[in-house]
Amino acid sequence: MSLSAYLKHALFVLAFTSSFVMTEASHAAAISQTRSVTLYEPVGAVWDIEHTPVFTDRVKLAKNTGFNAIWLVVLWNELDPVPSASGEIPLIDCSLSTNAGQYQCALERALQAIHQEGMDVFISLNYASAAASDEFKAAAQHETLAFGQGPAKLYRYGRHIARLIARNGLSQSARFLMHDEGILGPYPSLHAYPDVQQNFRDYLYGLNPSLAYWNSRWGLTGSQAFSSWSQVRTFDLKSAPIDRPQLQDHIAWVNWVFRQTFGSGAFESNIRQIIPGATVGLHATYFALVNPNGPVSNAPQTPVSSLSTLDFVSFPYYDSGTSNFGLSFEQYVDNAGGFFQNRPLLVGELGSINCQVPGDCVEIKGQPYRISLRVKRRQATFLTQAPTLLAAESIGYNIWNLNEFPFADREGSFGIYQATPGNSNTASNPVFKPAACALRTVQGSTSPTLCVASGGINNQYSPRALWLSGRGFQSGAQVRLSNEAGTFIYPTLISPVVGSGTSLSFQLEDSAIAQLGCGANTTNCAIVAEISHPQTGGWSNKVLIQIN
């Protein structure tokens, strides 16, 4: 990193960190000051709330990383098990030992643990992704059925969460938000319900009652063409690619449905009747991606003025190389700002999925862990740069997720702390990924825990100059480098490491590089670097350094 680039980065970090200075007892009332992380467990005990000490420890880990809020995913079907029920959902007396295992009481314990750490909480009222576990898919199906019965079901659910929050004295630190993904996202598994399909047909029929028009618009001919309205169904990402009119119309329908629900302010009013001044928002996964006013392909986007009753709008962005409609992060943020004019913005899902950019995730000698390290390097880079840009734009964010997500096709991507057996990450001994270390620096964490955020090499010198940056480097530390075969070398440090240093440099001769399998003319070769902890004898997390 050049001196000018280093100074520029340091100034960005300083400006970002300074913008979030706040007393420990206060809450991040402004969405623009939110730096949140999701606690989301895909399998088994949701949030580990059945094991309160583990959950509490993870909340502390989030706080030590510099976050000031927690995003919780709440399973609707666990709180409201009968889709056709009406009236109020009963509040359970959690002081009774017989109710200790109830989901509602586990949720209360989770909320109290977050509040005790002085953090805000985002209550994700109806999120459920088709990529999640069967438990979450069941919740999504439940919500789809409920939505088909009209907004009253949403109001019932929102009121219940508000009453739960109010009776625990958490009203000032709670943020409520609904999703357009959990209910009506383009997932095949959520489209098997007659009432939802009829809603979609009614919407299209109201725009144009001619099936010939829709067949022509969607390019359906011969046996593919619809001959009756009963054949028309919602579309999904597999049957309709993202740039096709079918999916655009599906998303426009989602927008239309949510305009009816949120545009009147009825949902927000249901919550604010219980908690005056409650902060209520919408997480718009698909809302901002196409023109919301009707099925007009490539129509210009117009501001969503009907969302004026909402306190904020949240949207996702994952650094993946192929998603987000081909828009860069800066373009996507700018589009959202223009689309949701005068609405405070939160990037509710900020993260890095797969390393999908050609050349950035190639295997080296068939070693899968090297792919994982490349993914983690990219994730750390993105989660260093993105929060800085958002701070400059006065936009809050939520990192998805605290712990590594075990997707087979997304190794090392979701989650800023590495998964451990039994999901036993603790605040006192976390297993760092470079992204977690980088975020601790960007967010101004004071924790001295040893971790490495990034590393690099300057090839202009002989021997070559390598550098590492991170936290908690101590006097007497060693650096070790390795390759796929497990060959270790210990280079000589150039700059001494003292106190809780944040950077160090060392020399690497070409002969040492050759030992690690990277010859002088080798391209796309990389080595793994670690730093020791002199007192414990342990080693930091691994970072990947490209050798060219």
Side-chain angles (χ1 to χ4, degrees):
M1 179 183 292
S2 68
L3 178 61
S4 61
Y6 178 83
L7 289 174
K8 183 178 180 181
H9 173 74
L11 288 172
F12 267 132
V13 170
L14 177 61
F16 179 85
T17 304
S18 300
S19 68
F20 287 121
V21 174
M22 51 191 294
T23 62
E24 181 155 321
S26 66
H27 292 287
I31 293 299
S32 64
Q33 294 182 332
T34 294
R35 53 189 192 277
S36 174
V37 68
T38 303
L39 288 183
Y40 175 33
E41 303 297 337
V43 180
V46 182
W47 325 309
D48 275 330
I49 50 180
E50 285 82 356
H51 307 93
T52 304
V54 174
F55 178 82
T56 301
D57 205 72
R58 287 197 182 159
V59 173
K60 294 183 181 199
L61 177 60
K63 184 176 181 179
N64 288 347
T65 309
F67 293 107
N68 58 21
I70 298 291
W71 179 305
L72 281 185
V73 176
V74 181
L75 293 183
W76 186 343
N77 57 318
E78 293 288 345
L79 291 173
D80 190 13
V82 183
S84 61
S86 59
E88 300 293 346
I89 303 172
L91 286 172
I92 295 173
D93 185 353
C94 295
S95 66
L96 301 177
S97 59
T98 53
N99 289 333
Q102 293 285 340
Y103 184 88
Q104 182 185 118
C105 297
L107 171 59
E108 285 200 352
R109 292 195 297 272
L111 294 172
Q112 290 163 356
I114 295 170
H115 182 69
Q116 287 169 3
E117 290 298 327
M119 304 178 78
D120 290 343
V121 60
F122 284 83
I123 303 294
S124 175
L125 291 177
N126 66 310
Y127 174 80
S129 167
S133 65
D134 289 341
E135 188 173 30
F136 281 91
K137 287 181 181 179
Q141 292 167 355
H142 180 91
E143 292 152 17
T144 304
L145 282 170
F147 196 88
Q149 297 167 4
K153 188 68 174 181
L154 295 179
Y155 304 158
R156 161 186 162 94
Y157 181 50
R159 284 196 308 271
H160 177 62
I161 295 294
R163 289 160 61 221
L164 193 69
I165 292 288
R167 83 168 182 181
N168 279 273
L170 308 177
S171 300
Q172 296 303 311
S173 60
R175 313 282 176 257
F176 303 86
L177 74 163
M178 293 292 294
H179 288 69
D180 63 3
E181 179 179 4
I183 294 176
L184 298 171
Y187 299 123
S189 60
L190 305 184
H191 301 156
Y193 306 106
D195 44 7
V196 172
Q197 299 305 323
Q198 190 59 52
N199 188 298
F200 182 59
R201 294 186 197 106
D202 291 345
Y203 164 75
L204 295 176
Y205 190 89
L207 293 170
N208 193 319
S210 169
L211 268 181
Y213 167 82
W214 296 106
N215 283 328
S216 174
R217 171 171 166 74
W218 297 332
L220 303 178
T221 59
S223 61
Q224 291 183 325
F226 296 128
S227 58
S228 71
W229 276 99
S230 63
Q231 297 173 321
V232 177
R233 298 179 59 79
T234 52
F235 297 100
D236 59 68
L237 289 169
K238 292 183 178 179
S239 64
I242 203 75
D243 60 346
R244 296 298 301 276
Q246 291 98 317
L247 193 58
Q248 292 181 356
D249 293 344
H250 173 104
I251 297 171
W253 164 63
V254 173
N255 298 340
W256 176 75
V257 170
F258 269 83
R259 276 170 178 265
Q260 294 184 88
T261 303
F262 288 101
S264 67
F267 175 77
E268 301 92 302
S269 295
N270 270 262
I271 291 178
R272 291 171 182 148
Q273 286 173 3
I274 299 167
I275 303 177
T279 302
V280 185
L282 169 66
H283 183 63
T285 307
Y286 304 103
F287 209 109
L289 303 185
V290 297
N291 172 39
N293 297 314
V296 182
S297 179
N298 300 319
Q301 295 180 343
T302 55
V304 187
S305 59
S306 63
L307 294 180
S308 60
T309 55
L310 292 170
D311 294 301
F312 68 97
V313 178
S314 168
F315 61 94
Y317 188 93
Y318 289 105
D319 177 53
S320 64
T322 60
S323 64
N324 303 304
F325 289 71
L327 299 176
S328 70
F329 181 60
E330 293 87 346
Q331 290 171 327
Y332 205 81
V333 171
D334 287 344
N335 279 10
F339 192 61
F340 299 112
Q341 287 183 0
N342 302 317
R343 296 293 91 205
L345 297 179
L346 175 77
V347 186
E349 295 182 43
L350 181 67
S352 182
I353 304 181
N354 300 32
C355 250
Q356 296 176 357
V357 174
D360 200 51
C361 286
V362 296
E363 291 189 31
I364 298 180
K365 297 184 180 179
Q367 298 298 312
Y369 89 97
R370 301 305 280 275
I371 298 177
S372 176
L373 284 173
R374 289 173 184 270
V375 171
K376 291 172 184 175
R377 182 182 64 177
R378 181 183 178 92
Q379 179 197 35
T381 300
F382 177 70
L383 291 182
T384 302
Q385 296 171 350
T388 302
L389 183 145
L390 293 174
E393 299 288 336
S394 297
I395 298 174
Y397 64 84
N398 174 79
I399 304 294
W400 197 278
N401 186 50
L402 184 71
N403 289 313
E404 194 170 70
F405 221 76
F407 279 139
D409 65 334
R410 298 175 183 178
E411 182 182 8
S413 54
F414 284 120
I416 62 171
Y417 286 97
Q418 193 153 331
T420 56
N423 289 319
S424 57
N425 272 340
T426 66
S428 59
N429 188 31
V431 182
F432 282 89
K433 292 168 65 175
C437 188
L439 279 167
R440 283 184 173 229
T441 300
V442 169
Q443 295 183 156
S445 168
T446 58
S447 172
T449 308
L450 174 65
C451 59
V452 184
S454 61
I457 183 168
N458 189 327
N459 289 312
Q460 296 177 351
Y461 299 94
S462 181
R464 306 190 201 195
L466 276 75
W467 56 267
L468 298 174
S469 66
R471 301 175 65 83
F473 301 171
Q474 298 181 13
S475 178
Q478 286 185 302
V479 173
R480 71 179 181 185
L481 308 177
S482 62
N483 62 5
E484 294 101 331
T487 299
F488 289 95
I489 64 171
Y490 298 84
T492 302
L493 299 182
I494 298 174
S495 59
V497 183
V498 295
S500 296
T502 59
S503 66
L504 57 83
S505 57
F506 51 93
Q507 295 179 332
L508 194 63
E509 302 279 357
D510 283 345
S511 58
I513 294 176
Q515 277 186 281
L516 295 173
C518 296
N521 298 318
T522 300
T523 60
N524 199 31
C525 193
I527 57 177
V528 177
E530 302 168 85
I531 300 177
S532 71
H533 192 297
Q535 280 71 43
T536 66
W539 292 87
S540 70
N541 57 294
K542 297 180 173 72
V543 293
L544 201 68
I545 299 177
Q546 194 77 22
I547 304 290
N548 293 317

